[in-house]
């Protein structure tokens, strides 16, 4: 149906809704909107497979607004969302859609906020409630949220709600809703648990899927950079400085990495804050408030914490860790290139990450371009260009009478105007070479090009096989020891063949190596307590 729809008017929406859509700036319905809106208007249950950035909020909210009775002050629609941020985003979008329907009242309910204003609003009467499962359950237990008149039930990003442990809450809420309600379910993926909910709580739902090719955002330039894990912070700093990025989101896979990366960026002088599930709601609100108002330039976040972040003018997204699945990649890069603006995504990869990258490309039907790591000269050029642009603008719009006096004093002291200008330029770019130390290039060996290199990279975090013994060496990343150098050191100094060395796990100050058990005694005898490059080695059996 999506290919036949030319405008929102073709979908059967009312004049007041069409007016709101026009005022918002929507021109043509997205594929999920074109397919879902007519079905929901007909009163049929829907299972929609769609990602963030496809316009799914309008796909269920517009027809709901059409069918809400504004004279009835009871709750008629309930939308469940996995996070507070997404609940707020859905609520705010719904308010825009309902702009020309002043009798329709909406309320968002979520944890971390006082119950009192929520309870007062519910007593006054609201037709649409958007909330997180936990807070909705709390209101139901208090009898402050009654669902006797519920007509519409929406599960938004259902897979994320299950991932966050809300399955029992969702089931409990659905059981308490009237049997005659209309149920709409949206999910990025369709695991067995989602399908079970659909079979149990929906009536012959229409299944709507948005093809992967429709998910690709053509406004986003997608790049990847091959860099070792230990060099990612420096690589990201180079990209930010060379490209002049003033607003970005950095995604990591763990909460611990969020905290560590924020600390590293702040120590380098960057205004960065973190966002993850362990933060209290007041902390999350403070961070997002500062990020929206450009008081924070770099937001470091986990995938779940970033759901529902709706901030315009985010210039770039960095995948500090490659996403755990393809859907998360689409969610991540969808944070940039919004509202008609262009954006950039940069993914850091190393070793077998390239296989994950290729799977992402196949899923999104898009190609990531390899980006060379910016060097000091790139950053100099960016700063010079920025300085010249600012200087040119200032020359055209300022009165320099006071500055002329200062320059006159400098000239009288024996300095030429050319030298003064050169000194100012040096103050803009000085120290760049020192700040951006060389980053070791990723070799084909370390990338996994050869058989032994590929095996070491693939199994770096697994234990020894049956014929192997795990040894611990007192050297690591801080000594810039690469897997290739380590194999060479062991082979040369212990007189063992390179094939005797198996999986390698290099940590900050220690390295774990799996070796063929036939050579363990020989390696320990010849390397333990031996001085190599001024370092006294210790070798222990694990």
């Amino acid at each position: 149906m999506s290919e036949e729809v030319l405008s929102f008017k073709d979908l059967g929406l009312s004049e007041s809704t069409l007016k709101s859509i026009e005022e918002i700036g929507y021109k043509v319905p997205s594929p999920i909107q074109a397919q879902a809106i007519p079905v929901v208007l007909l009163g049929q249950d829907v299972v929609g497979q769609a990602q963030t950035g496809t316009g799914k909020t309008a796909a269920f909210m517009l027809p709901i607004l059409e069918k809400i009775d504004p004279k009835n002050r009871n709750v008629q629609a309930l939308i469940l969302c996995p996070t507070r941020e997404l609940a707020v985003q859905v609520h705010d979008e719904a308010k825009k859609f309902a702009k020309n329907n002043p009798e329709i009242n909406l309320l968002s309910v979520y944890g971390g906020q006082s119950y009192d204003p929520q309870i007062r609003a519910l007593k006054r009467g609201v037709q649409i409630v958007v909330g997180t499962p936990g807070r909705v359950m709390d209101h139901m237990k208090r009898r402050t949220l009654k669902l006797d008149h519920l007509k519409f039930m929406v599960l938004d990003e259902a897979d994320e709600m299950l991932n966050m442990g809300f399955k029992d809450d969702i089931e409990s809420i659905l059981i308490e809703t009237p049997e005659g309600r209309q149920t709409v379910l949206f999910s990025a993926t369709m695991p067995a648990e989602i399908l079970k909910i659909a079979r149990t709580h929906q009536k012959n739902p229409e299944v709507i899927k948005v093809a992967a090719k429709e998910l690709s955002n053509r406004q986003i330039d997608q790049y990847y950079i091959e860099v070792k894990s230990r060099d990612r912070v420096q690589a990201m700093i180079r990209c930010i400085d060379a490209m002049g990025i003033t607003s970005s989101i950095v995604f990591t896979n763990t909460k611990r990495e969020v905290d560590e990366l924020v600390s590293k960026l702040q120590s380098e002088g960057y205004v960065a804050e973190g966002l993850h599930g362990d933060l209290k709601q007041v902390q999350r609100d403070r961070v997002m408030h500062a990020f929206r108002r450009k008081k924070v330039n770099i937001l470091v976040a986990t995938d779940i914490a970033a759901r529902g972040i709706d901030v315009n003018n985010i210039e770039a997204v960095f995948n500090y860790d490659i996403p755990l699945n393809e859907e998360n990649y689409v969610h991540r890069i969808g944070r940039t290139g919004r509202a008609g603006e262009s954006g950039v995504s940069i993914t850091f990869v190393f070793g077998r990450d390239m296989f994950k990258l290729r799977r992402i490309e196949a899923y999104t039907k898009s190609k990531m371009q390899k980006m060379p790591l910016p060097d000091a000269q790139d950053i100099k050029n960016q700063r010079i260009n920025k300085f010249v642009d600012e200087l040119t603008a200032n020359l055209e719009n300022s009165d320099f009478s006071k500055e002329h006096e200062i320059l006159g004093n400098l000239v009288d002291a024996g300095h030429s105007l050319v030298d003064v200008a050169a000194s100012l330029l040096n103050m803009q770019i000085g120290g760049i070479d020192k700040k951006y130390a060389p980053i070791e290039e990723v070799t084909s060996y370390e990338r996994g090009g050869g058989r032994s290199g590929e095996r070491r990279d693939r199994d770096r975090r697994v234990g020894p096989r049956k014929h192997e013994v795990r040894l611990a060496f007192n050297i690591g990343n801080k000594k810039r020891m690469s897997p290739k150098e380590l194999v060479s050191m062991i082979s040369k100094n212990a007189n063992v063949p390179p094939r005797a060395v198996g999986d390698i796990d290099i940590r900050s100050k220690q390295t774990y190596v799996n070796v063929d058990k036939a050579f363990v005694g020989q390696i320990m005898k010849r390397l333990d307590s031996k001085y190599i490059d001024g370092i006294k080695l210790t070798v222990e059996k694990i």
Side-chain angles (χ1 to χ4, degrees):
M1 182 174 183
S2 60
E3 294 181 357
E4 301 172 3
V5 175
L6 300 177
S7 69
F8 282 98
K9 192 172 183 179
D10 298 326
L11 301 178
L13 298 169
S14 67
E15 289 299 323
S16 61
T17 301
L18 291 172
K19 183 180 178 183
S20 297
I21 293 172
E22 184 180 354
E23 290 172 354
I24 293 171
Y26 284 14
K27 302 297 182 184
V28 180
S30 69
I32 190 66
Q33 293 165 359
Q35 295 177 63
I37 289 174
V39 178
V40 179
L41 281 173
L42 289 173
Q44 190 169 348
D45 287 359
V46 170
V47 172
Q49 187 167 357
Q51 311 278 350
T52 293
T54 55
K56 59 184 173 57
T57 300
F60 62 77
M61 191 57 75
L62 291 175
I64 285 176
L65 289 169
E66 290 283 295
K67 302 178 74 173
I68 287 290
D69 180 2
K71 304 297 182 184
N72 185 344
R73 306 287 286 183
N74 294 294
V75 176
Q76 299 172 52
L78 175 63
I79 296 96
L80 291 184
C81 302
T83 66
R84 180 263 186 192
E85 286 79 16
L86 184 59
V88 171
Q89 177 184 328
V90 171
H91 172 268
D92 291 346
E93 285 193 56
K95 283 187 69 175
K96 294 177 185 176
F97 298 145
K99 180 180 178 182
N100 294 297
N101 294 281
E103 292 182 302
I104 295 180
N105 296 307
L106 301 98
L107 175 68
S108 56
V109 298
Y110 45 82
Q113 186 187 54
S114 172
Y115 281 93
D116 292 341
Q118 297 176 2
I119 292 173
R120 287 197 296 270
L122 288 167
K123 285 183 177 179
R124 287 195 301 269
V126 297
Q127 291 96 348
I128 301 174
V129 172
V130 185
T132 53
R135 183 52 65 98
V136 168
M137 282 285 293
D138 289 345
H139 277 294
M140 291 172 65
K141 290 175 182 176
R142 292 167 178 251
R143 300 296 297 164
T144 51
L145 174 60
K146 299 176 183 179
L147 304 177
D148 309 74
H149 296 81
L150 195 73
K151 298 179 182 178
F152 307 99
M153 181 77 206
V154 179
L155 304 180
D156 193 11
E157 298 202 10
D159 53 351
E160 281 303 316
M161 285 194 279
L162 296 186
N163 290 339
M164 296 174 69
F166 289 130
K167 181 181 178 182
D168 292 342
D169 287 352
I170 293 171
E171 292 282 357
S172 299
I173 293 169
L174 287 168
I175 289 171
E176 293 296 321
T177 57
E179 287 188 10
R181 72 180 186 279
Q182 183 179 356
T183 306
V184 177
L185 184 155
F186 278 103
S187 184
T189 58
M190 288 294 161
E193 293 89 344
I194 298 293
L195 298 175
K196 183 179 178 182
I197 289 175
R199 287 194 301 269
T200 305
H201 298 284
Q202 291 186 295
K203 304 178 292 292
N204 300 317
E206 177 85 10
V207 178
I208 299 171
K209 292 185 178 182
V210 175
K213 64 182 180 180
E214 295 171 332
L215 301 179
S216 299
N217 191 325
R218 300 178 185 273
Q219 293 292 98
I220 302 173
D221 295 324
Q222 302 175 59
Y223 300 99
Y224 72 91
I225 295 177
E226 286 192 84
V227 64
K228 294 178 182 179
S229 296
R230 65 170 181 250
D231 294 323
R232 286 175 297 174
V233 177
Q234 183 62 222
M236 186 167 65
I237 286 174
R238 289 188 181 198
C239 292
I240 289 171
D241 290 353
M243 301 170 72
I245 295 170
T246 60
S247 179
S248 61
I249 299 182
V250 183
F251 285 100
T252 71
N253 290 339
T254 67
K255 293 176 282 190
R256 179 180 176 181
E257 279 189 319
V258 169
D259 293 335
E260 290 178 351
L261 183 53
V262 167
S263 178
K264 291 175 182 176
L265 288 169
Q266 289 177 347
S267 69
E268 293 284 347
Y270 295 87
V271 185
E273 290 287 353
L275 196 69
H276 57 65
D278 284 352
L279 296 180
K280 295 180 180 179
Q281 193 61 56
V282 65
Q283 294 173 300
R284 296 170 73 168
D285 290 343
R286 177 188 61 78
V287 170
M288 286 308 303
H289 181 81
F291 187 59
R292 285 194 176 95
R293 283 154 183 76
K294 309 303 180 185
K295 302 296 184 182
V296 168
N297 303 117
I298 305 172
L299 179 67
V300 186
T302 56
D303 287 297
I304 290 179
R307 289 296 174 100
I309 290 180
D310 187 19
V311 180
N312 291 332
N313 302 317
I314 295 173
E315 299 168 14
V317 164
F318 291 96
N319 291 305
Y320 190 76
D321 292 322
I322 198 162
L324 297 175
N325 57 56
E326 295 83 3
E327 293 85 2
N328 281 351
Y329 177 81
V330 176
H331 281 292
R332 288 181 178 189
I333 70 169
R335 302 301 104 199
T336 186
R338 299 170 77 88
E341 299 290 332
S342 60
V344 173
S345 73
I346 298 174
T347 302
F348 297 120
V349 295
F350 177 63
R352 287 185 67 85
D353 287 341
M354 289 301 300
F355 292 95
K356 299 176 185 177
L357 186 146
R358 298 307 176 206
R359 287 200 296 268
I360 289 172
E361 289 181 330
Y363 177 80
T364 59
K365 293 180 171 57
S366 61
K367 189 77 173 174
M368 292 189 222
Q369 301 298 316
K370 183 175 182 179
M371 175 186 286
L373 193 61
D375 57 21
Q377 188 58 50
D378 295 325
I379 297 163
K380 281 184 182 179
N381 293 339
Q382 195 281 331
R383 288 197 183 176
I384 291 171
N385 291 337
K386 181 181 178 181
F387 178 68
V388 170
D389 289 342
E390 292 175 350
L391 182 63
T392 302
N394 197 46
L395 285 169
E396 295 174 352
N397 299 294
S398 298
D399 174 19
F400 303 111
S401 54
K402 293 183 179 179
E403 288 80 1
H404 285 165
E405 182 179 347
I406 297 172
L407 286 174
N409 293 334
L410 289 170
V411 171
D412 291 341
H415 303 288
S416 71
L417 290 177
V418 172
D419 285 342
V420 171
S423 176
L424 289 172
L425 185 57
N426 178 262
M427 291 168 66
Q428 292 292 316
I429 65 173
I432 285 181
D433 291 310
K434 184 177 180 180
K435 178 181 178 181
Y436 304 97
I439 293 179
E440 188 178 352
E441 184 180 357
V442 175
T443 65
S444 59
Y445 178 91
E446 294 161 323
R447 189 181 297 127
R451 182 180 177 185
S452 59
E454 181 181 33
R455 182 163 67 88
R456 266 188 292 279
D457 183 66
R458 181 181 68 238
D459 299 322
R460 187 167 290 175
R461 291 182 174 85
V462 301
R465 296 176 176 83
K466 289 183 179 179
H467 63 280
E468 293 178 334
V469 173
R470 197 165 180 83
L471 300 179
F473 290 76
N474 65 326
I475 51 177
N477 273 336
K478 290 197 172 181
K479 298 298 181 183
R480 295 288 179 177
M481 178 65 71
S482 70
K484 183 177 181 180
E485 292 167 337
L486 189 67
V487 173
S488 176
M489 182 198 74
I490 295 173
S491 176
K492 178 181 177 181
N493 292 279
N495 194 26
V496 299
R499 60 176 173 77
V501 183
D503 308 330
I504 297 173
D505 182 3
I506 300 179
R507 306 288 178 86
S508 176
K509 297 180 180 179
Q510 204 163 28
T511 296
Y512 299 96
V513 184
N514 296 346
V515 300
D516 191 315
K517 64 182 180 181
F519 297 93
V520 170
Q522 186 174 331
I523 291 172
M524 294 189 69
K525 181 179 179 180
R526 299 196 179 192
L527 292 182
D528 189 38
S529 299
K530 180 181 178 64
Y531 281 88
I532 296 180
D533 295 332
I535 301 170
K536 184 180 180 180
L537 290 182
T538 61
V539 186
E540 297 179 279
K541 192 184 297 184
I542 304 299

